[in-house]
């Protein structure tokens, strides 16, 4: 099978079961070797019934109509052992579409096929309906070109994409694995219906996700491992990675980027990543599934990184740049940053905080411009407002609770947006010699809400505006 050639599946089912007569074809050294090429899913399902494939498959039936044609037409196939026999691949066959086939092989009648596995080269397999089940757990199925739209791929067999694939809609299911090889590309267009990923996927190539009306790629369930050389490119608005059902995960060691669109794209799958591997190049990237974060990331001007839901364990993180970091949730919250012990998280962007929670034993440092509308700054760690930084406590929509020690070397502007300033619950606020606390307007209070609180001032505390009363009830 030559790299870069194709296999198309048009809405039918192809089932693969292991078969091993020796035919002298290429040896597959494992699913992770990256031997699958261009695969497009147009309404078809690819069903894989096995585990990792490591043996050398043997072609038992070959597609011999060089002009392509229907997968389910017996005359298009030739038995490898009996050249005068023409038959559709069955459950004991490993089917091969050689590179000499210049026309597409169509899998579109809505019928199903169960086979050991397939080596699809040539001009590609187009799957428009039906189910393809591959069952061999010792020989991977490889595709250099495939389109899936409305079909299903299923089974325990491993699937490898080596060329260019298009998944328009349909289901990539079964208990086997799928690997996108280095240099290969899968375009997930979500056109006409949803694309469901229901098996583990390892990416060493490129996954381009776009919103053709059905909101990107649905995990149902799956774990997607994006390796160090892998790229996941979320192209346009709502080119989402969605946690549709079950337990899902996105384990990123490569690059996940939002490269186009001016609106919002969402990752609701729990994400484990270094922030150096997250690129917000345009619009808003909203992380709504929680996960585990570390490392340093840059938020460019005009872009927004939104922590929009879930609990994130933060093992030390630095966010910088001229863009905006957001933790804005509806009243009552929904997002938590849990700062790990003996780590420091630094936010050096514009930072908007509302309806969310920061807790844990790690330190938080604000070096840019922040707005705390409402929510809880808690945990047993510390928070520091650096020299030159400003935090506006607006108490808008609900209370702002301070539940960890705060050291101020910058400026804290407190106003009453309806919930009476800053609530100590409990906390000690140390205002250093260069620190300023500006109580702006009436009832821009510093309130001893609960526990033992203290305001230790070596700088300036001032009431700069308003004609009424502002209260400091903190010792």
């Amino acid at each position: 099978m030559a790299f870069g050639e194709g296999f198309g599946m048009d809405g039918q089912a192809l089932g693969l079961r292991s078969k091993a007569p020796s035919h002298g074809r290429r040896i597959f050294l494992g699913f992770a070797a990256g031997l699958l090429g261009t695969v497009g899913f147009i309404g078809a399902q690819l069903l894989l019934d096995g585990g990792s494939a490591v043996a050398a498959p043997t072609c038992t039936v070959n597609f011999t109509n060089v002009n392509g044609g229907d997968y389910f037409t017996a005359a298009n196939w030739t038995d490898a052992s009996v050249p005068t026999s023409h038959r559709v691949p069955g459950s004991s066959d490993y089917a091969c579409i050689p590179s000499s086939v210049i026309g597409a092989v169509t899998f579109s009648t809505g019928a199903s096929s169960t086979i050991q596995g397939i080596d699809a080269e040539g001009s590609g397999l187009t799957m428009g309906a039906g189910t393809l089940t591959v069952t061999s757990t010792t020989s991977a199925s490889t595709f250099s070109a495939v389109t899936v739209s409305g079909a299903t791929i299923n089974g325990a067999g491993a699937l490898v994409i080596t060329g260019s694939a298009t998944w328009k809609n349909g289901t990539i299911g079964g208990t086997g694995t799928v690997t996108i090889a280095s240099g290969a590309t899968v375009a997930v267009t979500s056109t006409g219906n949803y694309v469901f990923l229901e098996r583990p996927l390892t990416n060493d190539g490129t996954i381009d996700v776009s919103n053709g009306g059905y909101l990107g790629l649905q995990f149902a369930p799956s774990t997607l491992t994006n390796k160090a050389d892998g790229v996941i490119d979320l192209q346009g608005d709502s080119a989402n990675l969605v946690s549709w059902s079950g337990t899902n995960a996105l384990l990123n060691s490569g690059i996940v980027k939002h490269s186009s669109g001016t609106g919002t794209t969402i990752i609701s799958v729990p994400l484990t990543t270094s922030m150096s591997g997250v690129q917000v190049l345009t619009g808003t990237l909203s992380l709504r599934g929680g996960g585990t974060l570390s490392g340093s990331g840059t938020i460019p001007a005009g872009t927004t990184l939104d922590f929009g839901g879930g609990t994130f364990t933060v093992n030390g993180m630095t966010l910088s740049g001229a863009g905006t970091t957001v933790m804005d949730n509806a009243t009552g919250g929904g997002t938590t940053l849990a700062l790990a012990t003996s780590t420091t998280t630094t936010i050096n962007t514009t930072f908007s905080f509302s309806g969310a929670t920061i807790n844990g034993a790690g330190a938080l440092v604000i070096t840019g411009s922040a707005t705390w509308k409402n929510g809880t700054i808690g945990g047993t760690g510390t928070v520091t407002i650096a020299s030159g930084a400003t935090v506006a406590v607006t108490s808008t929509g609900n209370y702002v609770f301070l539940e960890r020690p705060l050291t101020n070397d910058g400026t804290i502007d407190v106003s009453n947006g309806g919930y009476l300033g800053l609530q100590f619950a409990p906390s000690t606020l140390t205002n250093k010699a260069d620190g300023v606390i500006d109580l702006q307007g009436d009832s821009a209070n510093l309130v001893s809400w609960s526990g033992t609180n203290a305001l230790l001032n070596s700088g300036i505390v001032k009431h700069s505006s308003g004609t009424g009363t502002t209260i400091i009830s903190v010792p």
Side-chain angles (χ1 to χ4, degrees), residues 6-14 38-45 69-72 97 103-110 118 120-121 123-130 132 143 145-151 153 166 168:
F7 171 44
M9 302 170 83
D10 243 339
Q12 291 159 11
L14 174 61
T38 302
V39 177
F41 294 87
I42 303 179
Q45 269 188 323
D70 179 34
Y71 176 94
F72 291 95
I97 302 173
V105 177
T106 58
F107 192 97
S108 305
T109 66
I118 190 164
E121 302 185 30
S123 294
L125 177 64
T126 300
M127 299 184 68
L132 170 63
F143 300 83
V146 63
T147 298
V148 175
S149 177
I153 297 176
T166 302
K168 296 182 179 178

Side-chain angles (χ1 to χ4, degrees), residues 232-331:
I232 301 173
D233 189 355
L234 309 178
Q235 301 176 341
D237 301 337
S238 299
N240 303 329
L241 302 178
V242 179
S243 189
W244 178 276
S245 63
T247 301
N248 302 291
L250 173 55
L251 309 177
N252 178 46
S253 299
I255 299 296
V256 177
K257 62 182 178 179
H258 184 211
S259 65
S260 60
T262 57
T264 300
T265 281
I266 297 167
I267 299 176
S268 63
V269 178
L271 172 64
T272 298
T273 188
S274 168
M275 295 309 296
S276 62
V278 177
Q279 298 180 358
V280 188
L281 304 179
T282 184
T284 298
L285 180 61
S286 182
L287 307 181
R288 300 187 184 181
T292 302
L293 309 176
S294 61
S296 299
T298 301
I299 317 301
T303 71
T304 299
L305 176 64
D306 172 40
F307 294 98
T311 297
F312 297 87
T313 298
V314 183
N315 294 317
M317 176 176 71
T318 298
L319 299 177
S320 59
T324 302
T325 302
V326 171
M327 291 180 70
D328 279 352
N329 299 149
T331 300

Side-chain angles (χ1 to χ4, degrees), residues 87-380:
R87 59 183 179 83
V88 175
S91 61
S92 63
D93 285 315
Y94 193 95
C96 292
I97 302 173
S99 58
S100 58
V101 177
I102 60 175
V105 177
T106 58
F107 192 97
S108 305
T109 66
S112 296
S113 175
T114 297
I115 58 177
Q116 289 289 303
I118 190 164
D119 178 9
E121 302 185 30
S123 294
L125 177 64
T126 300
M127 299 184 68
T131 299
L132 170 63
T133 301
V134 294
T135 62
S136 174
T137 59
T138 58
S139 296
S141 293
T142 63
F143 300 83
S144 64
V146 63
T147 298
V148 175
S149 177
T152 296
I153 297 176
N154 206 340
L159 174 67
V160 183
I161 300 171
T162 59
S164 173
T166 302
W167 298 350
K168 296 182 179 178
N169 60 79
T171 300
I172 313 302
T175 58
T177 57
V178 56
T179 293
I180 301 168
S182 180
T185 300
V186 173
V188 179
T189 64
S190 63
T191 307
N193 212 325
Y194 295 105
V195 179
F196 293 107
L197 180 62
E198 298 180 358
R199 61 168 53 217
L201 188 156
T202 298
N203 179 43
D204 286 289
T206 300
I207 303 174
D208 294 328
V209 181
S210 58
N211 173 25
Y214 286 84
L215 306 178
L217 181 60
Q218 318 295 314
F219 289 53
S222 178
T223 294
L224 195 166
T225 301
N226 195 44
K227 302 295 283 293
D229 54 349
V231 176
I232 301 173
D233 189 355
L234 309 178
Q235 301 176 341
D237 301 337
S238 299
N240 303 329
L241 302 178
V242 179
S243 189
W244 178 276
S245 63
T247 301
N248 302 291
L250 173 55
L251 309 177
N252 178 46
S253 299
I255 299 296
V256 177
K257 62 182 178 179
H258 184 211
S259 65
S260 60
T262 57
T264 300
T265 281
I266 297 167
I267 299 176
S268 63
V269 178
L271 172 64
T272 298
T273 188
S274 168
M275 295 309 296
S276 62
V278 177
Q279 298 180 358
V280 188
L281 304 179
T282 184
T284 298
L285 180 61
S286 182
L287 307 181
R288 300 187 184 181
T292 302
L293 309 176
S294 61
S296 299
T298 301
I299 317 301
T303 71
T304 299
L305 176 64
D306 172 40
F307 294 98
T311 297
F312 297 87
T313 298
V314 183
N315 294 317
M317 176 176 71
T318 298
L319 299 177
S320 59
T324 302
T325 302
V326 171
M327 291 180 70
D328 279 352
N329 299 149
T331 300
T335 302
T336 297
L337 294 187
L339 311 183
T341 303
S342 302
T343 67
T344 298
T345 292
T346 301
I347 301 179
N348 189 25
T349 68
T350 300
F351 177 42
S352 181
F353 180 85
S354 175
T357 298
I358 295 174
N359 63 24
L364 174 66
V365 179
I366 305 295
T367 58
S369 175
T371 301
W372 297 350
K373 299 176 184 177
N374 60 80
T376 300
I377 312 295
T380 58

